[in-house]
Amino acid sequence: MCQTVSRSSMGSIALPKQQTGASMMQYLFYLLVLVSFITVAIKLIPVYIEDSSVSGSLESLSKKENFADMTNKEIQSSLDSLLTINNIRSLPPEAIKIERKDDTTTVIIDYEVRKNIVANIDAVLSFHHQQESKKK
């Protein structure tokens, strides 16, 4: 299978008769893996972008001067309006919890998003955000 080519100063080097590269099956496999990664990215990246907006809304709510003095209903209403402005409509109301301890107000957003990838394969993404504010 290999020919021997003589070189006077270097000795002999074995060379294959013909070069071989990746077969068609290997190229198809590489293409399948690439398409799979692109599909997953296309499905999951918007969920992470939406979560970033949820986090930003919660952060902007906590920066309000009277945040710690607001009632639970006012906090819920302000957060709902911020989420609507950011076009977040998929966050369930039960995902938002408001806790008060002593002089600290804590807003917790804890939710999961289930995204269908292909056929019966789903991805479940869990998100947790928390903001605290103390009364002044």
Side-chain angles (χ1 to χ4, degrees), residues 72 97-101 104-108 130-131 133:
N72 287 4
K97 295 180 186 93
I98 302 167
E99 296 178 354
R100 296 182 186 269
K101 291 183 183 170
T104 304
T105 301
T106 306
V107 178
I108 301 167
Q130 180 173 330
Q131 284 290 340
S133 181

Side-chain angles (χ1 to χ4, degrees), residues 98-135:
I98 302 167
E99 296 178 354
R100 296 182 186 269
K101 291 183 183 170
D102 300 328
D103 62 342
T104 304
T105 301
T106 306
V107 178
I108 301 167
I109 300 179
D110 196 10
Y111 66 104
E112 287 184 350
V113 176
R114 179 178 295 267
K115 202 70 173 163
N116 180 276
I117 303 297
V118 174
N120 63 346
I121 300 173
D122 289 354
V124 178
L125 304 148
S126 298
F127 300 102
H128 178 85
H129 301 286
Q130 180 173 330
Q131 284 290 340
E132 293 184 357
S133 181
K134 293 189 178 198
K135 288 186 180 181

Side-chain angles (χ1 to χ4, degrees), residues 5-60:
V5 177
S6 298
R7 293 192 181 171
S8 58
S9 62
M10 293 188 170
S12 62
I13 299 173
L15 297 175
K17 284 187 177 179
Q18 67 184 140
Q19 293 183 352
T20 58
S23 69
M24 181 61 83
M25 291 303 285
Q26 287 173 320
Y27 281 126
L28 288 176
F29 176 75
Y30 295 149
L31 183 64
L32 176 70
V33 170
L34 180 67
V35 168
S36 298
F37 279 121
I38 290 171
T39 301
V40 169
I42 287 173
K43 300 274 183 155
L44 298 185
I45 287 175
V47 176
Y48 281 102
I49 291 171
E50 185 175 285
D51 179 62
S52 176
S53 294
V54 169
S55 176
S57 297
L58 183 58
E59 207 170 292
S60 107

Side-chain angles (χ1 to χ4, degrees), residues 79-97:
L79 190 57
D80 283 343
S81 69
L82 286 169
L83 293 172
T84 302
I85 288 169
N86 287 324
N87 201 25
I88 308 296
R89 295 179 184 3
S90 61
L91 191 65
E94 60 271 3
I96 302 168
K97 295 180 186 93

